[in-house]
Amino acid sequence: MIEVTPQEFDFIRASIKSAYPTFNVMPDQYSIRMWYRMLGDLDYKLCETALMELFATHTYPPQISEIREKCAEYTVPHLKDQGEAWGEVQKAISQYGYYRQEEALESLTPIVREAVKRLGFREICLDENQDAVRAHFFKIYSSLIERKTNDAKLPPSILEAKNKYIAQLTTHENVAIEQQHREQIAEEPERATPEYIDMLMREHGFKR
């Protein structure tokens, strides 16, 4: 994708001002720089087309978020709704069954596959309360759709920074969980000693 050049951004700014002459859009150099920073990664023709649609449908000047959202609509592949996604899962179960999990997962589209992995393919197959399973799947799938849609609107530099912070947080959380697990393991020998068992029996009145 070709990024917007400063000269092209001048045309974008002029077109917004021309479409909404009574509004004070980007009134100073600071706001101009911010707008360019937030839109500069977009393809010029893509941005221009998005603006033309927004001009035709919006009474008020579009904000940065609205322009990026409209551009994302043109570039992000169609995402299935909850019912379509659940139908895809049911088709995979019907075709591959409980024992061919890897093949079933491979047949799913990436975002549906991720939702199924989080819920557990075998759990989906074996749980008798399919209404509850479907509701849980819908919740997970909707969360993934929301995240993917939101990420598609972000400038690459901001998305990269966001993912970096999330990865750091996940690493810290995993380290904390691992440390807690090690501490629990270290306590096990102490709990297995005769002295510890004797203490528990006294506490519960089994021994005086």
Side-chain angles (χ1 to χ4, degrees), residues 185-205:
I185 293 176
E187 292 175 1
E188 291 301 326
E190 179 183 342
R191 294 178 179 178
T193 61
E195 292 81 4
Y196 183 76
I197 295 174
D198 185 68
M199 181 189 71
L200 289 178
M201 293 181 69
R202 291 180 187 279
E203 287 180 355
H204 292 85

Side-chain angles (χ1 to χ4, degrees), residues 4-200:
V4 173
T5 66
Q7 293 76 21
E8 289 170 336
F9 182 73
D10 285 339
F11 284 114
I12 290 174
R13 183 164 64 92
S15 66
I16 296 175
K17 286 181 171 293
S18 298
Y20 303 95
T22 60
F23 293 88
N24 192 19
V25 182
M26 289 180 263
D28 52 50
Q29 290 299 315
Y30 297 104
S31 60
I32 292 173
R33 280 197 287 266
M34 175 57 69
W35 273 68
Y36 183 61
R37 180 182 180 187
M38 295 302 296
L39 299 177
D41 66 282
L42 299 173
D43 176 82
Y44 173 67
K45 288 297 182 183
L46 172 67
C47 188
E48 183 181 43
T49 303
L51 281 172
M52 292 303 107
E53 180 177 345
L54 291 169
F55 292 164
T57 57
H58 283 56
T59 303
Y60 298 99
Q63 301 302 306
I64 293 172
S65 60
E66 293 175 307
I67 297 172
R68 296 201 67 91
E69 181 176 7
K70 184 58 63 177
C71 288
E73 287 181 14
Y74 297 161
T75 56
V76 175
H78 167 71
L79 298 174
K80 296 181 177 181
D81 62 30
Q82 294 176 338
E84 291 174 322
W86 181 248
E88 185 178 333
V89 175
Q90 293 301 300
K91 180 180 178 181
I93 293 174
S94 175
Q95 183 172 353
Y96 297 101
Y98 169 81
Y99 295 102
R100 298 166 66 186
Q101 176 179 341
E102 293 303 321
E103 292 176 85
L105 290 174
E106 189 62 29
S107 71
L108 301 173
T109 51
I111 194 166
V112 176
R113 185 187 308 130
E114 185 176 351
V116 169
K117 284 184 175 180
R118 292 193 180 189
L119 188 55
F121 181 75
R122 289 189 173 91
E123 286 72 10
I124 295 176
C125 293
L126 298 178
D127 199 313
E128 295 181 356
N129 190 349
Q130 283 296 297
D131 288 340
V133 172
R134 183 174 62 249
H136 195 186
F137 173 83
F138 282 177
K139 184 177 180 180
I140 294 173
Y141 183 73
S142 295
S143 177
L144 292 174
I145 288 290
E146 182 179 358
R147 186 184 69 184
K148 184 177 181 64
T149 303
N150 184 67
D151 286 351
K153 302 172 189 175
L154 299 178
S157 59
I158 296 177
L159 179 59
E160 182 181 356
K162 172 188 172 182
N163 290 336
K164 179 181 178 181
Y165 292 132
I166 292 175
Q168 289 175 347
L169 179 60
T170 302
T171 300
H172 292 157
E173 290 177 345
N174 290 340
V175 170
I177 293 172
E178 180 65 23
Q179 180 62 31
Q180 184 180 18
H181 181 61
R182 289 177 181 175
E183 291 174 356
Q184 290 174 345
I185 293 176
E187 292 175 1
E188 291 301 326
E190 179 183 342
R191 294 178 179 178
T193 61
E195 292 81 4
Y196 183 76
I197 295 174
D198 185 68
M199 181 189 71
L200 289 178

